[in-house]
Every structure is written in C-alpha cells, then in structure tokens.
Amino acid sequence: MKYISTRGQAPVLNFEDVVLTGLAADGGLYVPETLPHFSREEIAAWAGLSYEELALQVITPFVDGEVPERDLKDIIAASYRSFRHRAVAPLVQTGHNEWVLELFQGPTLAFKDFALQFLGHLLDYTLKKRNQKVVVMGATSGDTGSAAIEGCRRCDNIDIFILHPHNRVSDVQRRQMTTVLEDNVHNIALQGNFDDCQNMVKASFGDQSFLPEGRQLVAVNSINWARIMAQIVYYFYAALALGAPHRPVSFSVPTGNFGDIFAGYLAKQMGLPVQQLIIATNANDILHRCISANDHSKKALVHSLAPSMDIMVSSNFERLLFDLHGRDGAAIAHLMEDFKSGAMHLSEAVLAEARQLFSSYRIDDAGTVAVIADVFAGTEYLLDPHTAIGVEAARRTRRDSAVPVICLATAHPAKFPEAVRKAGQTRDPALPRHMADLFEREERYQVLPDQLSEVQRFIAANIRA
Ligand SMILES: *Cc1c(COP(=O)(O)O)cnc(C)c1O
C-alpha cells in the first residue's frame, strides 16, 4: 500500500516509512492512496472472529506484504495481551438499543491504548528489522503520554521522552507516566502549560541537530497513520457483535483531535453499514460549529470536565477534508493556508456532504454531569465524563431507535474522579486491581524550565548508546 499526503507535495511512502514519519514534508497528513473495501459477504464471514483475528483481517490490506502475516499476527497478539478483558472491547447496554463500547480495558484505562500498544510493538518490530534506533518525543495533557509510555517501555530500540505541564495534569495521569521506571522512559515536567510543551516538541522536530549521530525523532501523536488504522478494528468488532452487516449500527464518539471518529468514517468507507456517525464535543466545539453552522473558527480554549477533549483545532479533520474535496491536495493546501487567519469556510457542496456523513452535538459541563447521574440512576453503571458526552450526543441526535447506537467509552471513570463526584457519587470510583497501588509506587521525573536548550540537553544526555 502506498501513502500520500493530504497536501499533495510530499513524497509517496510505503507503510513502514509512513509509520516512522508523522507529519508529511509539505505539512499535510499521510493517508492510504486507495482504501480497501470489504463486501457484505466478507464482513458477514467475520462474525465469529476474536478481536485479534479480526484485527488481522482489517489491517492486512493496509500493510500489504511489508509485514509478513505471521509477524503481523504476533504484533497484534502482543498488543492486546495487556488488556484486562478477554473480549478486549466489550459492550455494555445502557438503554434501549443503546450500548457502551468499553475501550478502557488496556493498561492505562483509555482508548489510546488500542493504538499505542499496537504502534509500540510495530515500531519495535520495524526498528529491529532495520537495525535502527529512534527517539520518541511527545507532549501530553494527560492520556496520550501514559499510553505512549506503556506502548514503548519494553522497546529496546526506542528512548521515549514525554513532556507534561508541571502540576497541571491529574495525580492519576501523572503517576501513570512517572511510575514507569524502565531506563528508556523519561518524563519531563515542564514549567509551562501544554502549549509550551507542544511548542518544544514542534521545535525539536523542526531541527533535530541536538540528537546524537544517526538518531531521528518519531511522533506518536494521533496524526501517526498506524494509530488511526488500529482504531478501525473496534468499529467492525462492535458492529459485528450487534448484527452487522445484516443490520446497520450508529456510533457516537467523544471527539477531540478527530482521530477516533475518523477511524469510524474509514470503517464505513470500507464497507461497514453505519447509519450515523455522531461527533460529540464538549465546550471546545469547533467541529460541532463547523457541521451545524459552517463556522470552523478558532476560539479560546475552555477547560472542561472532559480534559482529553480540550483542544482548539482538530488536526485529523484535514484527512476528512481531503476526501470531501475529491482528494485534491492543492485545494487542501489552499484551505489550510486560509485557516492560518483563524477561520475556514467550507463550500455548500462540501458542507452538504459532511452533513450527510456526520451528525454533531455539543455538551457543556452541566450536561456532562447530568448524564453521568442519569445513567447511574437508571443502570448503576458509571460513565467517565468523555463517554457521558458521547451518550448524551447520541440521545440528542439519534434518528432511528431501531438502529443500535454504540457510544465509545474512551476512558475509565476512575481517571476522572472530579466529574464523577460532581455527578453525586460520594466516593471516588475505584481504580482497577492492577492499578490499585498506583499511589504507593515510586515516581521518577525531571522538572525542567521552559527553555528549549535545557530540554534538548536533557534528552541528548539520557539517550542510551
Ligand atoms: C484522546 C481522547 C479523546 C479524543 O479522541 P480524538 O481521537 O482526539 O478525537 C476522547 N476521550 C478520551 C478519554 C481521550 O483520551
């Protein structure tokens, strides 16, 4: 499979190179040159497959011989072995034809484990084959950092450096990162905010001369194609469990960077019968404004009870825009240039097609808390605030109650005790057993000033030979 940039000016890459590349040289994002398509019969034949077996079927065409089937099988097995639930992605019913897909059974209790466990094992495999060592550098406001660290901690050919804003992530989130003590794992608590962390990472990717000879940086943020690809699998898995392809299903997705729901869109393009794809946003609602009112303009960031969705601009939206503009890279380059002014206007035709594909809804903090309380009252099932936004958006926008709606549960409620308490719970939700001692574990991290030279010196000094 070949991969092309959404802005049309970067080199065409094969699968392994695209995994190591991140952002394309022209500023665009890589997408497959053509999308595989599965017939109804093929999908129906997958009904009895385990999560791992299904993953092999869905991922194989994207890898297209670059990773032999036996190796891909091993990578998948290793990636999902660390999940606590045998079904990997179990479904729980929360209402009439309303289901929650628990994507938080992985090691860090958020759906990002699906992609980052896979990416970690895939990188390890690729780098060993090439006899190459790399440095993973990333910024996190919470969930991505711990999932990336868990994905890379056992990779011999990776040194990983994750920057988080000092004193601005929750205790659970910080400890999930800083209690990993492998000597290739380094947490930097930057004396700044999340934007400062991100700027530092961007500057370092732009000029990598601070690294030792022969090393390069690899990005594990959600623009990495392998992350999106791994996420397509659970859309097929959940839909098959509820009767697809013989009947359609809908999905509601708590959305930030548009990576997760973009994977759902791809599943639909690949042949899965999906009726509605619901973009659920918090107060940071650029995508909801775009779909509902053609207002894709940057607004000041709001800190919500669902912090993993607190983002101003959704970077993966560009991948959808590329398709909606007939895969015309020049048109996207132009559009993104315009967006530097802070706003982007879609043509009527593009907007109509986007509305055909997506519904959207915005839920504020009060609404989030109300759904957690309502679902608990009706089922004794506790939602995390991100998932709650998805459930409420589904209830508000659902067109057909005969079609099952699957709400993606992106995090375990124990990660976000503040929202849960506001919803009337008198005790913090318990951490799952494997993490019950999180607050007794030893932590290791380095506090550094918001200064590029200091951070780069620290990284260079800690890369293993
Ligand atoms: C990252 C994250 C999201 C948003 O996912 P995107 O792919 O960025 O849209 C939602 N919920 C939780 C808990 C997350 O960690």
Side-chain angles (χ1 to χ4, degrees), residues 162-239:
I162 296 294
L163 285 74
H164 70 265
H166 189 37
N167 290 331
R168 293 192 204 197
V169 298
S170 78
D171 289 349
V172 173
Q173 287 179 322
R174 188 193 66 247
R175 286 182 159 271
Q176 282 187 313
M177 298 190 280
T178 59
T179 58
V180 177
L181 302 178
E182 270 87 354
D183 63 3
N184 65 327
V185 173
H186 300 276
N187 281 285
I188 297 171
L190 194 77
Q191 290 170 321
N193 59 28
F194 174 60
D195 277 338
D196 299 326
C197 295
Q198 251 184 333
N199 288 337
M200 195 129 325
V201 172
K202 262 190 209 152
S204 301
F205 271 82
D207 178 2
Q208 305 191 9
S209 58
F210 69 100
L211 294 173
E213 187 75 32
R215 297 289 167 100
Q216 70 173 80
L217 291 179
V218 167
V220 294
N221 53 8
S222 72
I223 60 162
N224 190 305
W225 165 253
R227 284 187 58 178
I228 307 272
M229 180 183 75
Q231 292 173 180
I232 299 170
V233 178
Y234 50 70
Y235 286 90
F236 278 94
Y237 186 71

Side-chain angles (χ1 to χ4, degrees), residues 94-378:
T94 49
H96 172 66
N97 251 342
E98 179 189 275
W99 303 79
V100 159
L101 180 64
E102 291 189 339
L103 299 178
F104 53 70
Q105 302 286 351
T108 73
L109 311 182
F111 87 99
K112 292 188 170 69
D113 288 326
F114 275 86
L116 284 161
Q117 283 293 309
F118 179 78
L119 180 57
H121 287 285
L122 179 67
L123 283 174
D124 198 38
Y125 167 84
T126 308
L127 294 169
K128 277 187 179 139
K129 200 162 77 175
R130 297 182 171 202
N131 197 17
Q132 187 184 349
K133 291 188 167 151
V134 300
V135 177
V136 166
M137 184 179 182
T140 188
S141 56
D143 293 337
T144 305
S146 56
I149 287 170
E150 280 295 334
C152 294
R153 66 191 290 184
R154 294 183 186 88
C155 301
D156 299 330
N157 293 15
I158 297 176
D159 293 291
I160 178 168
F161 295 83
I162 296 294
L163 285 74
H164 70 265
H166 189 37
N167 290 331
R168 293 192 204 197
V169 298
S170 78
D171 289 349
V172 173
Q173 287 179 322
R174 188 193 66 247
R175 286 182 159 271
Q176 282 187 313
M177 298 190 280
T178 59
T179 58
V180 177
L181 302 178
E182 270 87 354
D183 63 3
N184 65 327
V185 173
H186 300 276
N187 281 285
I188 297 171
L190 194 77
Q191 290 170 321
N193 59 28
F194 174 60
D195 277 338
D196 299 326
C197 295
Q198 251 184 333
N199 288 337
M200 195 129 325
V201 172
K202 262 190 209 152
S204 301
F205 271 82
D207 178 2
Q208 305 191 9
S209 58
F210 69 100
L211 294 173
E213 187 75 32
R215 297 289 167 100
Q216 70 173 80
L217 291 179
V218 167
V220 294
N221 53 8
S222 72
I223 60 162
N224 190 305
W225 165 253
R227 284 187 58 178
I228 307 272
M229 180 183 75
Q231 292 173 180
I232 299 170
V233 178
Y234 50 70
Y235 286 90
F236 278 94
Y237 186 71
L240 280 159
L242 293 179
H246 308 294
R247 63 170 180 172
V249 297
S250 293
F251 289 97
S252 183
V253 187
T255 295
N257 240 333
F258 204 72
D260 199 1
I261 195 164
F262 185 70
Y265 157 81
L266 292 177
K268 181 174 181 169
Q269 303 305 109
M270 289 161 69
L272 189 68
V274 177
Q275 189 187 64
Q276 270 182 285
L277 278 170
I278 302 162
I279 301 171
T281 79
N282 64 17
N284 300 289
D285 61 351
I286 185 165
L287 292 173
H288 173 57
R289 283 186 282 116
C290 178
I291 300 289
S292 61
N294 202 3
D295 170 17
H296 190 274
S297 62
K298 283 184 210 167
K299 284 199 176 155
L301 192 78
V302 179
H303 290 279
S304 80
L305 288 173
S308 301
M309 292 154 65
D310 290 345
I311 57 126
M312 278 195 304
V313 175
S314 308
S315 40
N316 280 295
F317 197 51
E318 179 170 339
R319 287 185 157 121
L320 176 72
L321 291 173
F322 182 60
D323 280 3
L324 296 182
H325 288 80
R327 308 203 111 203
D328 176 354
I332 297 303
H334 199 77
L335 204 62
M336 298 315 289
E337 189 57 37
D338 281 354
F339 188 47
K340 285 187 179 156
S341 71
M344 175 197 298
H345 196 77
L346 303 181
S347 73
E348 281 308 315
V350 165
L351 190 65
E353 203 181 330
R355 285 178 175 158
Q356 193 74 28
L357 288 162
F358 296 96
S359 315
S360 70
Y361 209 80
R362 165 200 202 268
I363 318 286
D364 62 13
D365 277 351
T368 306
V369 167
V371 199
I372 297 175
D374 178 72
V375 170
F376 190 79

